[in-house]
Amino acid sequence: QVQLVESGGGLVQTGGSLRLSCVASGRTFSSYAMGWFRQAPGKEREFVATWSAGTTYIADSVKGRFTISRDNAKSTVYLQMNSLKPEDTAVYYCAAGNTGWRSNWAMRVDGYGYWGQGIQVTVSS
């Protein structure tokens, strides 16, 4: 069973930066696609970014502002968030891909079988 734990959230002002971390345990880290999703109050969970097989996938809404990176030795995936906007306010979730994950699954919630508990990011206007 894979366990994912996020950290690094908090409250920042518009234009500020945060770096989220997700530590994975219970399975070979390098064998999973690792992604970030977010969910604002009253909205559906939406794709943010994914790293798999040396390729990154970034949502249009955050492209140029957010960067995903990965450290296999530490079993950790990161989300660097710059130029934050109030509309980035959400609970952010780390996710690990299902067995047989392929690139066309990157943006799909059902492409990921393991989820962290979520961490709050709030951007003040």
Side-chain angles (χ1 to χ4, degrees), residues 49-81:
T50 290
W51 175 295
S52 180
T55 301
T56 59
Y57 308 83
I58 308 294
D60 289 341
S61 60
V62 303
K63 194 169 296 182
R65 300 188 297 119
F66 290 13
T67 302
I68 188 170
S69 61
R70 183 165 169 162
D71 187 337
N72 287 335
K74 297 181 179 179
S75 297
T76 301
V77 63
Y78 304 94
L79 185 69
Q80 178 67 47
M81 304 184 293

Side-chain angles (χ1 to χ4, degrees), residues 4 7 27 39 43 45 47 72 75 80 85 114 119:
L4 306 172
S7 62
R27 185 67 171 83
Q39 188 166 21
K43 297 183 179 180
R45 192 167 299 187
F47 168 77
N72 287 335
S75 297
Q80 178 67 47
K85 306 173 181 179
Y114 305 92
I119 189 164

Side-chain angles (χ1 to χ4, degrees), residues 8-10 12 18 20 81 84 88-92 119-123:
V12 298
L18 284 174
L20 304 183
M81 304 184 293
L84 283 162
D88 295 318
T89 295
V91 175
Y92 283 70
I119 189 164
Q120 180 70 46
V121 171
T122 302
V123 184

Side-chain angles (χ1 to χ4, degrees), residues 2-7 20-25 29 32-39 45-46 48-50 68-70 75-79 91-97 109 112-119:
V2 176
Q3 295 185 12
L4 306 172
V5 180
E6 303 100 331
S7 62
L20 304 183
S21 299
C22 173
V23 179
S25 63
F29 180 75
Y32 286 90
M34 298 295 298
W36 291 94
F37 288 72
R38 66 187 183 184
Q39 188 166 21
R45 192 167 299 187
E46 66 174 350
V48 177
T50 290
I68 188 170
S69 61
R70 183 165 169 162
S75 297
T76 301
V77 63
Y78 304 94
L79 185 69
V91 175
Y92 283 70
Y93 296 90
C94 177
V109 171
Y112 301 82
Y114 305 92
W115 297 86
Q117 80 284 358
I119 189 164

